[in-house]
Amino acid sequence: MLACVYVVAFVGVLTAGLVFAHTAIHQFSALQAFLALFEVVNLLICIWEIALFSYATKVAKEYRGFREKYGVNGELPRPMILFQDITLDQAISLEFWSTIWSTYALMDPAYQDCTSFGFWIDTGNGITTLIPTVLAAIGMTWDVMPPRVLGLISFVVHYQEFYGTVIYFSQYLYNEKYVGQPLLNKTIVATSNAFWIIAPAIAMWTFYTLIDTNNADIFRT
């Protein structure tokens, strides 16, 4: 089965489950549905970021191999990892998914360099935001803790994601890492970073209301 099918299934099943449960317990909320999607996608990225940290040496070695095979102009492997036919064992393997980063490093070499800001902001986010991401996803529907506490934790975590992405993308643009890259690569970088700026900004505003009101009515009424 294609790797992207496993990704779509992971994101789709978890997001649909969260939205269905919320609708059954409260009512449908477009805001909850959007943030549920973002939290699930972010959970997946957290797992991939842990893979980057765990297999940093492999990522660097694989990146060098890709550069030798495909050149230095940003040409991506064929087929890309998401379009490879993989087994279930590979689908649940951190080592397999670390290839996401050796591929992305062809667009920004920071991810194969464990001394770079890009490496540490992403691996740091993966380790520190995984549990708060789960809490935010389920806390919109179930009272896992007082709303003000959930709001405070979630506001800080989403600010971290927002700030880290803004700084990362700023240095990417400032250092003109996009120069000489194919349009596809520029689109991938721009789209992914835009999503991780816009969605955390919406989440910050949303969870601030929980701090302000000490209730989760913004999701439930």
Side-chain angles (χ1 to χ4, degrees):
M1 188 178 297
L2 293 179
C4 60
V5 174
Y6 287 103
V7 171
V8 170
F10 179 91
V11 173
V13 169
L14 289 183
T15 302
L18 288 167
V19 173
F20 178 81
H22 189 87
T23 302
I25 296 171
H26 305 288
Q27 62 182 23
F28 175 76
S29 164
L31 180 61
Q32 183 272 337
F34 172 77
L35 290 179
L37 172 63
F38 172 67
E39 303 301 350
V40 171
V41 172
N42 195 62
L43 174 62
L44 177 63
I45 300 302
C46 284
I47 295 169
W48 288 354
E49 288 165 338
I50 292 171
L52 171 61
F53 182 81
S54 302
Y55 293 96
T57 302
K58 171 184 173 289
V59 167
K61 181 179 179 180
E62 197 168 46
Y63 162 77
R64 291 192 296 269
F66 285 157
R67 291 256 297 188
E68 290 175 5
K69 183 174 182 179
Y70 297 105
V72 298
N73 296 319
E75 184 178 353
L76 301 179
R78 298 183 301 272
M80 286 195 292
I81 180 174
L82 290 175
F83 299 101
Q84 293 176 13
D85 194 19
I86 66 172
T87 65
L88 178 59
D89 285 344
Q90 288 175 303
I92 60 175
S93 164
L94 288 179
E95 182 176 4
F96 172 78
W97 289 110
S98 68
T99 299
I100 283 283
W101 301 105
S102 48
T103 301
Y104 190 89
L106 295 169
M107 297 177 263
D108 181 357
Y111 287 89
Q112 56 84 40
D113 177 6
C114 62
T115 68
S116 72
F117 175 80
F119 178 92
W120 283 105
I121 191 63
D122 272 309
T123 56
N125 275 344
I127 294 168
T128 62
T129 69
L130 190 150
I131 293 176
T133 293
V134 174
L135 290 176
I138 64 177
M140 291 184 285
T141 301
W142 294 278
D143 295 324
V144 295
M145 59 182 65
R148 184 163 284 146
V149 176
L150 176 66
L152 181 60
I153 293 171
S154 298
F155 181 89
V156 170
V157 167
H158 289 100
Y159 174 76
Q160 175 182 326
E161 294 165 354
F162 173 85
Y163 175 80
T165 306
V166 168
I167 297 300
Y168 165 76
F169 194 47
S170 296
Q171 65 82 33
Y172 173 86
L173 295 174
Y174 182 82
N175 291 304
E176 298 183 344
K177 293 184 177 182
Y178 54 85
V179 173
Q181 291 281 328
L183 178 61
L184 173 62
N185 296 15
K186 296 175 185 177
T187 303
I188 291 172
V189 174
T191 303
S192 58
N193 281 274
F195 183 59
W196 257 269
I197 291 172
I198 295 170
I202 294 172
M204 286 163 56
W205 168 78
T206 303
F207 284 104
Y208 175 77
T209 66
L210 274 67
I211 302 172
D212 187 44
T213 64
N214 198 28
N215 65 62
D217 289 353
I218 192 170
F219 304 118
R220 302 177 183 179
T221 59

